[in-house]
Structures are given as structure tokens and as C-alpha cells.
Amino acid sequence: MLPAAEVEEPVFAPLVVCEVAEGEAGPEVASQAAPIRITRGAVVIELAHDAPAARIAEIAHALEVHPC
């Protein structure tokens, strides 16, 4: 398990809540969604399309960490 990024202050994200109008179609979902691809130099990591955002963030953070 990768360590989570440490921050000094709380981090907030905006949330927008609204009612869905009747008859309004939701987003289209592909039957075979493409994988999420993270590329860093010669390293390519592919994750399932439904990978949790926290896991994607952990991997992106780990790719930025420089070894000693």
C-alpha cells in the first residue's frame, strides 16, 4: 500500500447538488469502458475504468516521489 500524501491543512473540493429534470438523460456509459492510463516517461500504468480516485492519486503521487 502506498502512503497517502501528507498535507498541513484540510483540502476541500466544491460540490454542486441539483435536481435532475424528468426526461433528462444521464451520461452515456460505454459498454466496454477504456482503461485509465497513467504515463510517466517510459512507465505506463493501466487501471480499470472504475478504479477509485484515491488509488489513482496514490499512484500519481508515488510516481512523483524521487528515491534517495
Side-chain angles (χ1 to χ4, degrees):
M1 184 112 208
L2 298 174
E6 293 184 26
V7 293
E8 298 292 323
E9 303 174 353
V11 179
F12 297 96
L15 173 65
V16 178
V17 180
C18 63
E19 293 182 28
V20 177
E22 288 185 35
E24 185 176 317
E28 292 183 25
V29 178
S31 60
Q32 294 181 356
I36 297 170
R37 183 174 292 137
I38 301 173
T39 304
R40 172 82 170 157
V43 176
V44 177
I45 300 170
E46 287 192 0
L47 303 167
H49 72 279
D50 58 350
R55 184 65 180 144
I56 297 168
E58 289 171 347
I59 292 169
H61 176 72
L63 290 171
E64 293 299 319
V65 175
H66 298 286
C68 296

